[in-house]
Amino acid sequence: MPDVRVRVRGRHPTLEQHGVAAERFTDFVSPTLDLHGVDVVLLTFVLRGTGRHVLDETQYAITGPSFAVTRTGERHGLITDGDALEVVNVYLDVDAHPVLPLSPPLDRALAALLPLGDAPRVRLPQVAIDDVAATRALLELLERETLHPGPGTGDIVAGLRRALLVECARAITAHGFLPARSTRTRTDVAVDEVRAHLDRSFTENQSLADLAALVHLERTYLSRAFATSTGETISAYVARLRIGYAATLLRTTDRSIADIGATAGFRDLSHFGRTFKRLRGVSPREYRRAP
């Protein structure tokens, strides 16, 4: 089956600028399956109705109110049972806008919800929403700021994104989907510390020696441990964060491409251009011009 991916990046200013946006479908009807992926992480909140949610080859029954997660590029589709669904899609760009960890035990629930590092992966079904009024209020506020951004929108949506993730993590915990706790070694903790440090400072030029000294590990050992834990080399991880940040600046500012590349942490324009095209498939200039 062809890989049909819907482009969401670029449609909502709050997604580009702050990593989150919401879109409501009050009377969603789909009697047949339309499998497709999206270019960001998708949280699908079904507030009313029944049907089926298909993730790749697996089907889950929908009974609203509930939510499900679709990871970037993962094929999914909703099938209604006759009556319409009330659906709110929440889009999360966790590449350009990394999610900060939650406190235990919600940290493990968040790891089940979003692709964060080496935490245990679980396939979540539809997860029931217990506090419907609170969740609906958060979604309505996020939808309002998505449709009508204004002064202070960044502060509001940052808080709403975190509050929604807390509500989802609570539901995952309450309904028994919490991943089993694995034994964590000193190396696991060190890799997490390096990853969190890079999430905060990816635009800065830092050597492997600097990072190794930060967590008191030997350079080669840290490099291997990071790749094993995250599935990426340190340089690839940093490049992905920088390009995500640069893409946001390209869409939301009129700054020059050279200035954006330098701001994102690239030492020369040609390196920025090559890296951007390798990760996004187009040049920075083509990306800025795309609708």
Side-chain angles (χ1 to χ4, degrees):
M1 185 174 294
D3 180 16
V4 179
R5 184 172 298 195
V6 176
R7 180 180 174 126
V8 177
R9 286 190 175 101
R11 278 173 33 188
H12 305 287
T14 58
L15 179 61
E16 290 282 345
Q17 297 171 14
H18 311 295
V20 62
E23 189 171 26
R24 181 181 298 272
F25 302 90
T26 305
D27 295 300
F28 178 84
V29 176
S30 178
T32 59
L33 180 62
D34 174 24
L35 276 179
H36 61 279
V38 295
D39 58 354
V40 292
V41 174
L42 168 65
L43 297 181
T44 303
F45 292 86
V46 177
L47 301 179
R48 169 179 48 82
T50 61
R52 286 169 288 158
H53 188 193
V54 181
L55 286 170
D56 286 330
E57 306 300 326
T58 306
Q59 294 192 18
Y60 299 101
I62 296 174
T63 301
S66 61
F67 72 90
V69 59
T70 306
R71 293 184 172 91
T72 304
E74 185 176 31
R75 295 180 305 164
H76 88 119
L78 301 181
I79 306 174
T80 51
D81 286 342
D83 293 334
L85 300 176
E86 181 184 0
V87 178
V88 179
N89 284 344
V90 174
Y91 308 111
L92 301 173
D93 188 345
V94 297
D95 290 333
H97 302 271
V99 174
L100 296 176
L102 301 180
S103 57
L106 298 185
D107 55 343
R108 288 188 290 144
L110 181 64
L113 185 70
L114 299 177
L116 301 176
D118 63 344
R121 295 289 189 268
V122 296
R123 172 58 66 83
L124 291 172
Q126 293 290 131
V127 181
I129 298 172
D130 295 324
D131 194 338
V132 183
T135 302
R136 183 182 285 276
L138 291 172
L139 292 171
E140 287 176 352
L141 284 172
L142 182 56
E143 181 192 18
R144 183 195 71 183
E145 294 299 319
T146 298
L147 291 174
H148 306 290
T153 285
D155 295 325
I156 292 174
V157 298
L160 290 173
R161 182 173 87 152
R162 190 160 183 83
L164 275 172
L165 292 176
V166 168
E167 287 297 310
C168 291
R170 285 175 173 174
I172 290 169
T173 304
H175 292 284
F177 299 117
L178 195 65
R181 185 179 294 278
S182 58
T183 302
R184 293 181 59 75
T185 66
R186 175 177 174 271
T187 301
D188 295 329
V189 174
V191 168
D192 283 349
E193 185 176 344
V194 169
R195 184 165 56 238
H197 173 74
L198 292 174
D199 288 344
R200 297 188 299 268
S201 60
F202 59 85
T203 61
E204 301 173 11
N205 290 317
Q206 303 172 82
S207 68
L208 180 58
D210 293 333
L211 297 174
L214 180 69
V215 292
H216 308 291
L217 291 179
E218 192 272 329
R219 288 178 296 175
T220 302
Y221 183 83
L222 172 62
S223 180
R224 291 173 179 170
F226 190 96
T228 299
S229 175
T230 66
E232 294 179 288
T233 64
I234 291 175
S235 60
Y237 186 84
V238 170
R240 180 168 57 80
L241 293 178
R242 288 178 173 180
I243 292 303
Y245 179 46
T248 299
L249 294 179
L250 285 167
R251 284 294 179 83
T252 59
T253 75
D254 58 0
R255 294 164 62 177
S256 70
I257 291 175
D259 182 41
I260 288 174
T263 300
F266 290 92
R267 294 183 178 180
D268 64 79
L269 182 59
S270 61
H271 182 208
F272 171 50
R274 290 194 304 271
T275 305
F276 195 100
K277 188 164 187 177
R278 174 168 57 83
L279 294 182
R280 293 298 175 109
V282 294
S283 70
R285 191 176 306 278
E286 291 169 331
Y287 184 84
R288 170 172 268 174
R289 291 175 175 172

